[in-house]
Amino acid sequence: QVHLVESGGGLVQAGTSLRLSCAASGSIFSINAMGWYRQPPGSQRKLVAHISTGGITNYADSVKGRFAISRDNAKNTLYLQMNSLKPEDTAVYYCEADHDYGLESWGQGTQVTVSS
């Protein structure tokens, strides 16, 4: 079992930056790819960024060029650097880990609010 804990969210003004962190514990060896998802109020949860075990990344079109996902395997931590934040980036951000056989682990989420 893997336990994921997000941190780094908050209330910021448009144009500023935030870095989210996701600390993983437990059966770390079972983690394959990882990702960040977000769920705005009244909307579905959607993928923001994804990183494979080999470091290959992909991003939602809405965040390309502004957000960067990275992982520090030595620290068992996933990051999301968010720059040039916009009000439409406001959402609860979730960390996710992929395991074999299609299994997934999720964090509890961290709120990001961007004011205009």
Side-chain angles (χ1 to χ4, degrees):
Q1 185 175 359
V2 171
H3 188 51
L4 302 174
V5 179
E6 303 97 335
S7 62
L11 172 62
V12 296
Q13 290 190 331
T16 60
S17 299
L18 272 179
R19 188 176 81 157
L20 304 183
S21 299
C22 172
S25 60
S27 303
I28 304 299
F29 63 89
S30 69
I31 294 176
N32 298 322
M34 298 187 77
W36 287 99
Y37 288 71
R38 69 185 182 187
Q39 186 168 16
S43 299
Q44 291 185 330
R45 190 177 302 185
K46 293 184 179 180
L47 178 68
V48 174
H50 184 266
I51 184 166
S52 71
T53 51
I56 297 173
T57 59
N58 65 77
Y59 299 91
D61 288 343
S62 59
V63 306
K64 282 181 181 176
R66 299 189 298 122
F67 289 13
I69 188 172
S70 61
R71 60 194 293 180
D72 186 332
N73 292 327
K75 295 182 178 180
N76 298 324
T77 302
L78 180 72
Y79 301 101
L80 184 67
Q81 178 66 43
M82 306 186 294
N83 300 324
S84 302
L85 283 162
K86 303 176 181 181
E88 51 263 43
D89 294 319
T90 295
V92 177
Y93 284 71
Y94 296 90
C95 172
E96 180 268 345
D98 295 334
H99 307 281
D100 290 343
Y101 312 112
L103 297 176
E104 299 174 338
S105 297
W106 290 89
Q108 82 289 348
T110 186
Q111 177 70 47
V112 172
T113 302
V114 184
S115 64
S116 57

